[in-house]
Amino acid sequence: MTAAAKKASPSVVTISATSGSAGGTGSGIILDAQGHILTNTHVVTLDGQSASASIEVRTNDGNVYPGTVVGTDPLSDLAVVKIDSQGLVPAALGDSSKANVGDKVIAIGAPLGLQGTVTDGIVSALNRTISIASSAAPDTSGSSGSNGSGGNGRRYRYSQPGAQNSTGTSSSDISINVLQTDAPINPGNSGGPLVNSAGEVLGINVAIASAGASTSGGQSGSIGVGFSIPVNDAKRVAQEIIAGGSASHGQLGASLADAQAGSGSQFTSGAQVTAVSGGTPAANAGITSGDVITALDGRAIQNAEEATASIREHAAGDTVSVTLMRGGTSQHVDVTLGATPKA
């Protein structure tokens, strides 16, 4: 783990965002020698407070550079910033699909502004889906997308100091698939890497669970439940942002709700289709109201939140295999996804 920290640390930066009297700090990773840096949307927008915050970046060697936001993607909470500097060390990106529960990992970032802090732990869970209240995300609740409510009923908090405590900014929920880790992640780690024992980035740290605190509550530290966006998903979004300033996300064109495992059960067993709009990808594939989606591309779906996150981590135009129950019979259909509206 010492060697992994030594390898990865030169590629980790601290990001400061300010707008008027508001400010916050987070972290990021250097993607290439051209100065592109991957971080979170909520870091560079102060959780939606500002679309044009002033950005500064401090590199691992202590130098400070002005940063320009190349683009943001609120639905994945990812963003790309660019600085003009020579001799940058790009991060080594791993393969998050090969992560296993129990793998040793380290988180690197600037918790509470303490640059270059390293904490260690393990991968606690794979394919976790969480819901986060985001002031930067568009409201897609009425867009006839792959929307639904339910899941575990909890919303989690960004791990960025300052910005998430603001008031007066409306928010929408975003659902994202994440790796769960017990490596301590604290406010200021947002946008920084979760790194494997080879020094390769497995994920981008995004949120924490806080005991007894709501998403809009006060600051609190790590309780051993942190979340990181898998780097395979983050890489696709970053490449699209660098190429065109924004990223696309798939849309099914159906409204979803949790399918209960049984009468009165507290468990769910899929995402039930409650409505399908004509001419949408779902309608074109023959999906109808009453169908229950149980898997997407072979990944088991337990509720509407998981279905939403799994569909949106795909790019618009991707074809996905959908397993569904209809009349007690399992069926498989291929769906070519549409595009979720952008902010």
Side-chain angles (χ1 to χ4, degrees):
M1 304 311 290
T2 301
K6 183 176 181 180
K7 177 180 177 178
S9 290
S11 305
V12 183
V13 303
T14 301
I15 299 173
S16 170
T18 57
S19 180
S21 60
T25 58
S27 305
I29 62 167
I30 299 170
L31 290 175
D32 54 38
Q34 288 71 50
H36 292 109
I37 294 167
L38 180 61
T39 185
N40 293 134
T41 289
H42 75 262
V43 169
V44 299
T45 66
L46 296 169
D47 191 17
Q49 292 184 75
S50 175
S52 56
S54 177
I55 305 296
E56 283 190 312
V57 177
R58 184 188 295 273
T59 53
N60 181 258
D61 58 13
N63 291 318
V64 178
Y65 303 91
T68 302
V69 177
V70 178
T72 62
D73 182 51
L75 287 178
S76 66
D77 194 33
L78 293 168
V80 175
V81 172
K82 192 175 187 301
I83 61 173
D84 185 10
S85 175
Q86 302 296 316
L88 295 173
V89 181
L93 304 184
D95 183 352
S96 51
S97 70
K98 295 182 179 179
N100 297 295
V101 172
D103 284 350
K104 292 282 288 184
V105 288
I106 57 175
I108 308 177
L112 306 179
L114 301 172
Q115 181 179 359
T117 296
V118 177
T119 56
D120 76 326
I122 62 169
V123 174
S124 302
L126 306 172
N127 299 321
R128 187 75 77 200
T129 302
I130 64 170
S131 181
I132 309 174
S134 170
S135 299
D139 182 2
T140 58
S141 59
S143 65
S144 188
S146 54
N147 305 300
S149 60
N152 58 19
R154 296 192 59 186
R155 293 191 301 177
Y156 296 90
R157 303 175 56 240
Y158 291 130
S159 52
Q160 177 193 20
Q164 76 269 23
N165 292 326
S166 63
T167 60
T169 304
S170 60
S171 65
S172 299
D173 283 359
I174 60 171
S175 296
I176 55 176
N177 287 331
V178 292
L179 302 172
Q180 182 181 327
T181 181
D182 69 348
I185 295 174
N186 289 288
N189 276 113
S190 279
L194 188 71
V195 178
N196 64 16
S197 58
E200 300 168 331
V201 178
L202 282 183
I204 305 300
N205 299 322
V206 64
I208 56 176
S210 300
S214 68
T215 54
S216 59
Q219 296 287 334
S220 61
S222 170
I223 60 170
V225 183
F227 305 104
S228 185
I229 301 168
V231 72
N232 290 9
D233 301 333
K235 183 163 47 176
R236 192 271 297 179
V237 170
Q239 289 170 343
E240 289 191 21
I241 291 175
I242 292 171
S246 63
S248 66
H249 294 276
Q251 185 180 49
L252 184 62
S255 296
L256 305 176
D258 292 346
Q260 299 302 316
S263 178
S265 176
Q266 299 301 305
F267 293 100
T268 57
S269 59
Q272 184 167 15
V273 178
T274 59
V276 177
S277 299
T280 61
N284 294 338
I287 295 175
T288 62
S289 179
D291 290 344
V292 176
I293 297 173
T294 58
L296 287 164
D297 282 340
R299 175 187 171 176
I301 297 297
Q302 298 182 33
N303 52 54
E305 184 180 74
E306 289 187 0
T308 298
S310 297
I311 290 167
R312 286 183 180 167
E313 73 183 4
H314 285 277
D318 282 357
T319 298
V320 298
S321 174
V322 178
T323 303
L324 53 86
M325 293 294 295
R326 178 184 297 167
T329 302
S330 180
Q331 301 186 25
H332 301 272
V333 296
D334 290 331
V335 181
T336 299
L337 300 174
T340 296
K342 297 179 181 178

